[in-house]
Amino acid sequence: MSSTNPHRHPACTAVVGLQWGDEGKGKIVDLIAPSFDAVVRYNGGANAGHSVVVKGERYALHLVPSGILYPGKLSVIANGVVVDPEVVLREVDTLSSRGVDVSGLIISDRAHVVMPYHKAEDELRERTLSQAGNVPTGGEAIGTTKRGIGPCYADKAHRATAVRVGDLLRPDALHRRLQHICALKNAYLCALGGEKTYTPEELLDWARPLGARLAPCIRDTTYLLHDLLAEGKRVLFEGANAALLDVDHGTHPFVTSSSTTVLGIPAGTGVPGSRIGSVIGVVKAYSTRVGNGPMLTEQVNAIGDRIRERGREYGTTTGRPRRVGWLDLVAVRYSAMLNGVSSLALMLLDVLSGLDELKVCTSYRLEGGAVTDRFPPDADVLARAQPVYETLPGFREDVTEARTRADLPGAARAYVELVERAVGVPVSHVSVGPDRAQTIVG
Ligand code: GDP
Ligand code: IMO
Ligand code: MG
């Protein structure tokens, strides 16, 4: 069946990352989006960077869902997302200037707004943390994207200091809230050594034109999504960040601040989990991580450098070189379990071509010697474990033109089959290049 057949995927399908982000979620969402009426982001914010490549044209999306390249398709930023209005408008302008129809973009009135002080707070917290603990190795900093994500979600939980997208449409009420928000924020920012303070008036001057421009997109997306489903329409949920960065289930504290797995969809959209019929778990054929935190299979050597260069492993959002390592099947199995994945999309297989041998981590040796195939998400426990590897023959052939599994060299096929066996889930897509067309379906 072709990937555009509307009956290939259930009416509610989710695409989620199973590692530390940048697995290629944007590519898979773009690939299967024709089967759906709406593509919905439910978590994260402009910390995400989803790349889509169509006929050699590259699009980097941070907040706008990756279905936007199909004219008229609904692209919904739901309530669980933290929205930087400047970033979303910049993205809209860039896409429009490249001829993309952005008329399908809808933003929840209940999504939270990343305010200028959130980005300042993110920066100051990271600076303070980097000066604590083991300073030469980055101290206690998380290595955030400094997009204000954590501070914005913290204010959502604090409630009284939160600003929601709907508030941008009510400047008078927003002005009143900004009085106590500024008092609290300025005290905190100054305590962290910040030099800039904020006035309600300057924040209102910032917010008012942004709200006016976004107004036509702002809706109650909970009813919108339920109305679509009641009409028999098809909805694709696009996860941002990834399972091992989940605030509850990831390698805490080196995580992001949202529920990144399918468990975040009900809270982040208002659509109950029982509606989700299929989950595609996106897995890179090796591991990458940006920011701090344990990564057992990391290769700080010539192999890591080679994979980084071949895979162009530099952040879509921050440009930071990504840490690179062998595929960690203990971690992927854990993430697949959390997400209840129905199938896997195995990405960037082409990048592994040219290596004499390939290693995959199949278990961990914990401090004390016990061997386990279970993932201990606690960062301290994980950091003290050692990876146990299985070694497979590598392949030298260029696989970027492969369009069926039979086109792959035997060693590459064996690698795909090993992943299927180890995770216990079929691989539905193998990606052999960044372009939409460079995909083996089935
Ligand atoms: P996302 O955040 O999960 O959407 O992933 P990113 O877009 O941040 O990072 C994935 C990168 O890999 C992007 O530059 C993609 O264009 C690229 N990519 C996706 N699939 C493939 C593939 O199969 N092969 C290669 N070489 N690059 C790929
Ligand atoms: P996509 O959707 C890779 C990482 C950051 C940092 C940690 C916390 O493109 O896969 P934050 O700014 O969220 O407070 O940073 O999480 N991180 C990502 N890494 N891809 C992402 O998104 C990420 N989103 C957050 O690097 O380590
Ligand atoms: Mg990314």
Side-chain angles (χ1 to χ4, degrees):
M1 253 186 256
S2 106
S3 65
T4 54
N5 185 322
H7 301 299
R8 186 183 160 81
H9 305 283
C12 269
T13 292
V15 171
V16 290
L18 299 188
Q19 292 154 309
W20 285 282
D22 306 325
E23 298 89 350
K25 299 175 290 292
K27 168 169 170 170
I28 294 296
V29 169
D30 167 75
L31 184 75
I32 67 171
S35 297
F36 296 89
D37 300 292
V39 180
V40 183
R41 275 278 306 270
Y42 60 89
N43 77 296
N47 51 355
H50 295 182
S51 321
V52 176
V53 181
V54 187
K55 297 194 179 111
E57 288 265 327
R58 178 174 284 272
Y59 300 85
L61 302 163
H62 300 285
L63 276 160
V64 174
S66 302
I68 196 75
L69 300 183
Y70 298 95
K73 192 166 300 289
L74 292 183
S75 293
V76 180
I77 298 176
N79 60 280
V81 176
V82 288
V83 178
D84 183 329
E86 287 180 305
V87 173
V88 85
L89 285 169
R90 206 180 311 133
E91 251 181 272
V92 162
D93 289 342
T94 305
L95 288 165
S96 300
S97 72
R98 295 176 72 182
V100 177
D101 169 13
V102 292
S103 61
L105 182 67
I106 296 170
I107 305 175
S108 168
D109 55 356
R110 270 166 265 174
H112 283 248
V113 178
V114 176
M115 300 289 286
Y117 48 75
H118 287 136
K119 285 183 271 192
E121 193 179 325
D122 204 351
E123 181 88 42
L124 289 167
R125 284 180 64 91
E126 283 288 276
R127 191 176 77 186
T128 307
L129 288 166
S130 69
Q131 289 155 2
N134 189 355
V135 174
T137 60
E140 301 291 328
I142 289 166
T144 73
T145 58
K146 299 186 180 161
R147 296 297 187 268
I149 306 298
C152 185
Y153 277 116
D155 276 329
K156 177 176 177 175
H158 278 315
R159 294 146 296 162
T161 43
V163 176
R164 305 205 294 181
V165 168
D167 296 330
L168 298 176
L169 304 179
R170 296 181 287 270
D172 291 346
L174 179 59
H175 189 218
R176 276 196 304 280
R177 290 177 75 85
L178 284 170
Q179 310 293 326
H180 66 259
I181 289 175
C182 282
L184 283 162
K185 288 292 163 191
N186 288 340
Y188 186 53
L189 294 173
C190 287
L192 288 176
E195 279 156 22
K196 164 111 186 81
T197 54
Y198 296 84
T199 65
E201 291 67 34
E202 74 172 298
L203 290 171
L204 200 64
D205 285 347
W206 173 84
R208 207 192 288 266
L210 297 169
R213 273 204 68 195
L214 289 175
C217 303
I218 300 174
R219 300 264 293 275
D220 177 335
T221 57
T222 305
Y223 271 114
L224 170 83
L225 292 174
H226 279 274
D227 288 345
L228 286 174
L229 292 172
E231 290 164 22
K233 296 276 176 31
R234 303 168 56 78
V235 178
L236 178 61
F237 297 98
E238 175 178 1
N241 328 130
L244 302 175
L245 294 171
D246 185 274
V247 66
D248 286 284
H249 303 288
T251 53
H252 202 278
F254 300 104
V255 293
T256 188
S257 304
S258 68
S259 293
T260 57
T261 71
V262 292
L263 305 169
I265 294 175
T269 65
V271 174
S274 55
R275 299 297 298 256
I276 300 164
S278 170
V279 181
I280 300 176
V282 188
V283 184
K284 200 174 267 194
Y286 47 93
S287 300
T288 60
R289 179 166 200 166
V290 201
N292 301 333
M295 178 182 172
L296 264 56
T297 61
E298 184 170 10
Q299 298 298 302
V300 188
N301 54 32
I303 288 179
D305 292 344
R306 186 197 158 99
I307 294 176
R308 183 179 303 105
E309 292 316 311
R310 277 186 69 95
R312 297 169 47 172
E313 294 294 356
Y314 295 87
T316 309
T317 299
T318 58
R320 289 181 287 180
R322 295 174 182 149
R323 298 160 64 194
V324 174
W326 296 118
L327 181 60
D328 184 342
L329 287 169
V330 180
V332 171
R333 228 174 5 236
Y334 168 75
S335 299
M337 174 186 79
L338 278 176
N339 281 289
V341 300
S342 326
S343 72
L344 299 173
L346 187 65
M347 313 300 288
L348 294 106
L349 186 64
D350 53 299
V351 173
L352 293 182
S353 157
L355 296 169
D356 292 332
E357 55 181 32
L358 302 172
K359 290 188 179 189
V360 291
C361 170
T362 48
S363 58
Y364 296 159
R365 182 164 290 108
L366 299 175
E367 190 182 39
V371 173
T372 182
D373 61 2
R374 296 197 161 200
F375 186 73
D378 183 282
D380 279 340
V381 178
L382 195 54
R384 287 197 296 272
Q386 294 295 324
V388 179
Y389 288 113
E390 204 169 293
T391 303
L392 291 91
F395 53 93
R396 299 224 146 257
E397 297 85 342
D398 173 13
V399 297
T400 56
E401 300 298 323
R403 295 295 176 268
T404 68
R405 280 224 204 169
D407 297 338
L408 291 174
R413 260 200 322 273
Y415 193 80
V416 176
E417 286 160 9
L418 177 111
V419 172
E420 283 183 320
R421 260 197 324 277
V423 184
V425 174
V427 169
S428 55
H429 298 79
V430 178
S431 178
V432 293
D435 201 276
R436 209 186 254 173
Q438 292 176 298
T439 317
I440 299 169
V441 182

